């Protein structure tokens, strides 16, 4: 399917780009796919073939779309923590996104493939022969893939259709197609009309399950995904980490591209480099699209001038750090606050996106602020010296009994409570000083001073 044709078909909703911050792992997997497209460019060049148009489009219909010459793949990325167990039918079709993929596959015209990318495995004893038929690779599976006979495939179609009926709203089934719906999947009786649509969908579906999880993908990606591409482009591999970060930032910007463009919001690569080609595409597609030419240009810039892409070593990463420093908190406390802040943010980002879960987090946060106010009140009643209030406020707040707090969508631990206090302080809901001040300005000042030390002067030459 050509992207010009794709651009004329408007998706039914655009929620994905608004919730990207909950799914940074998706940006990592999409970046991996962009590197795979670059690998295909390299192979074509080696064989003396002309390069077809290759690009990644973020958050349009599905989480991302891959255009590889005549091949179009609509991809959905779903992370599942390992303690939740392997994917089984109910979760795979509902939370795993297969119902959503099925719905969009019916609404898109043209030839294309569908793919679900996930870090977790299939529960093969309960999902066979789905794994035998659809797994992109069974290298991580404990069960070797088996040949799927026609009778097995017919049963697979029926099983999938039964679960589509349970999730008929996500799957976009009409009332007529939802005939045969019952309370339990095993009691559903799919119609022949529904089964006829399931057959072609499963034949173009692949399940990519051999992917690192969110805690490890960014550490393994420079070696596993970037270095082979750098070798193919005849670049040195020592800047693989910088290349990965740069490409992932570009992909992340394209996933956020529904936002209004502000100065510095989007990189020049994403915002401007499409202007001379395929001008027929609407702007919202251009801002979400990254071609392999653009990706290769980004890599060339990093390799040629790595100094410009180095992350400044700033003494503080967050506003809470600056505020704690002003409140005389020690270096260990500040380091712990930064680390636990990220732990808290990961925990809250991973909860199911439902009003009940968000309400629980809001109730917890309000209660936390009340408890911190009580801690500060008690400290002042104890006549604690003013220059020691900030340090005591931090240490006493993170030691509040976790059992006394309202229920959260996940178990509350001392580490998570520490992260919650740090997060509230980072949002300027908690201060460690009597007077408030511009923590943002101080944080920027630290960053700018360190950035200046990395930027070459007019007399310095760029690194080769």
């Amino acid at each position: 399917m050509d992207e010009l044709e794709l651009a004329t078909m408007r998706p039914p909703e655009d929620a994905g780009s608004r919730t990207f911050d909950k799914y940074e792992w998706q940006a990592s997997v999409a970046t991996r796919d962009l590197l795979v497209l670059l690998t295909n460019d390299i192979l074509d060049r080696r064989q003396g073939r002309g390069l077809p148009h290759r690009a990644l489009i973020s958050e349009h219909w599905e989480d991302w779309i891959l255009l590889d010459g005549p091949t179009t793949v609509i991809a959905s990325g779903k992370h599942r923590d390992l303690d939740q167990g392997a994917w089984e039918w109910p979760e795979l079709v509902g939370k795993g996104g297969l119902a959503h993929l099925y719905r969009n596959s019916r609404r898109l015209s043209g030839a294309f493939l569908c793919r679900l990318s996930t870090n977790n495995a299939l529960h093969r004893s309960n999902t066979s022969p789905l794994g035998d038929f659809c797994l992109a690779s069974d290298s991580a599976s404990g069960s070797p893939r088996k040949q799927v006979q026609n009778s097995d495939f017919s049963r697979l179609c029926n099983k999938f259709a039964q679960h589509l009926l349970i999730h008929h709203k996500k799957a976009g089934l009409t009332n007529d197609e939802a005939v045969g719906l019952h309370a339990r999947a095993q009691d559903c009786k799919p119609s022949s009309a529904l089964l006829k649509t399931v057959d072609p969908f499963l034949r173009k579906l692949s399940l990519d399950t051999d992917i690192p999880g969110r805690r490890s993908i960014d550490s393994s990606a420079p070696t596993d995904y970037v270095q082979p591409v750098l070798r193919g482009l005849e670049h040195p591999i020592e800047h693989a980490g910088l290349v990965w970060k740069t490409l992932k930032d570009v992909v992340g910007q394209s996933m956020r591209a529904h936002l209004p463009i502000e100065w510095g919001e989007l990189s020049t690569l994403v915002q401007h480099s499409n202007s001379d080609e395929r001008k027929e595409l609407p702007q919202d597609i251009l801002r979400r699209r990254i071609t392999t030419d653009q990706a290769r240009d980004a890599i060339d810039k990093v390799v040629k001038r790595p100094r410009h892409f180095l992350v400044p070593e700033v003494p503080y990463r967050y506003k809470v750090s600056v505020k704690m420093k002003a409140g005389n908190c020690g270096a260990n406390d500040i380091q712990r606050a930064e680390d636990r802040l990220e732990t808290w943010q990961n925990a809250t980002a991973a909860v199911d996106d439902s009003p009940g879960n968000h309400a629980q987090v809001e109730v917890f946060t309000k209660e936390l602020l009340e408890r911190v106010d009580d801690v500060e009140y008690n400290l002042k009643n104890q006549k604690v010296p003013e220059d020691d209030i900030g340090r005591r406020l931090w240490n006493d707040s993170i030691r509040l009994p976790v059992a006394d707090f309202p229920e959260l969508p996940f178990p509350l631990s001392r580490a998570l409570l520490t992260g919650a206090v740090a997060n509230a302080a980072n949002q300027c809901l908690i201060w460690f000083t009597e007077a408030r001040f511009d923590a943002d300005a101080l944080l920027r000042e630290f960053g700018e001073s360190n950035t200046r030390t990395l930027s070459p002067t007019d007399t310095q030459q760029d690194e080769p």
Side-chain angles (χ1 to χ4, degrees), residues 322-372:
V322 176
K323 292 160 69 175
M324 290 176 67
K325 177 63 176 176
N328 292 321
C329 294
N332 287 336
D333 286 338
I334 294 173
Q335 179 67 55
R336 215 67 64 236
E338 292 183 336
D339 294 342
R340 299 297 187 261
L341 170 62
E342 294 177 355
T343 302
W344 170 259
Q345 290 175 339
N346 287 337
T348 54
V351 300
D352 183 60
D353 192 10
S354 66
N357 287 338
H358 292 305
Q360 282 185 312
V361 175
E362 289 177 6
V363 169
F364 169 86
T365 302
K366 290 178 181 178
E367 180 67 21
L368 174 65
L369 296 178
E370 295 289 342
R371 301 283 181 88
V372 172

